[in-house]
Amino acid sequence: LGPVPDGDTKIEEEKQQEVKTVRVTRDMIDAGKRVVKVEDTSGASQADTIVLTSDLSLLESKMKANAMQPVKNYPGDAENKVEEKEEEQKDRSVFGVIKAFISNVHNCTILIK
């Protein structure tokens, strides 16, 4: 839509020819990302719209189950040095956006579908 106006200027609705609509879709999100940020923007009128589309619910991230969990070791435990046979890791899928940060947005409407 446009940058946020400076603090010196008055925020007023401007007359414009047509209403602007910005649609945020899956194609705009980087691979593996599930966080949307809408910030530092301003519309010309309340009719200007930012739409977070239902297409975002189809975002898919695949990760290994328990990939982030470290292996537990205990001091003096004989099993610390035991090599375990690696089993086939199961992948899990996580769908959709998990967070939407909206900050410093002026004079427009945000729709979440």
Side-chain angles (χ1 to χ4, degrees):
L1 295 173
V4 176
D6 295 336
D8 299 338
T9 59
K10 287 185 176 181
I11 299 174
E12 295 180 8
E13 290 190 13
E14 299 174 13
K15 292 186 179 181
Q16 62 181 12
Q17 297 293 331
E18 39 183 270
V19 176
K20 291 183 184 176
T21 300
V22 177
R23 297 183 188 285
V24 180
T25 64
R26 252 186 330 175
D27 299 334
M28 298 172 151
I29 308 295
D30 293 333
K33 304 292 182 189
R34 294 178 26 240
V35 176
V36 175
K37 287 185 181 181
V38 178
E39 57 189 6
D40 302 328
T41 190
S42 178
S45 72
Q46 292 291 324
D48 287 346
T49 308
I50 298 171
V51 180
L52 301 179
T53 63
S54 59
D55 180 47
L56 293 174
S57 67
L58 300 175
L59 283 173
E60 181 179 1
S61 297
K62 291 192 175 189
M63 58 181 60
K64 292 184 179 181
N66 297 329
M68 301 302 288
Q69 186 174 3
V71 177
K72 293 181 181 177
N73 288 326
Y74 300 97
D77 190 354
E79 291 189 13
N80 286 343
K81 296 180 184 177
V82 173
E83 291 184 27
E84 294 183 12
K85 179 181 169 185
E86 280 196 34
E87 296 179 12
E88 188 176 316
Q89 292 277 336
K90 293 182 181 178
D91 286 342
R92 67 181 179 136
S93 296
V94 180
F95 294 95
V97 173
I98 58 169
K99 290 182 186 176
F101 293 104
I102 301 170
S103 64
N104 203 18
V105 178
H106 301 278
N107 208 23
C108 64
T109 302
I110 298 177
L111 295 176
I112 301 173
K113 292 191 171 194

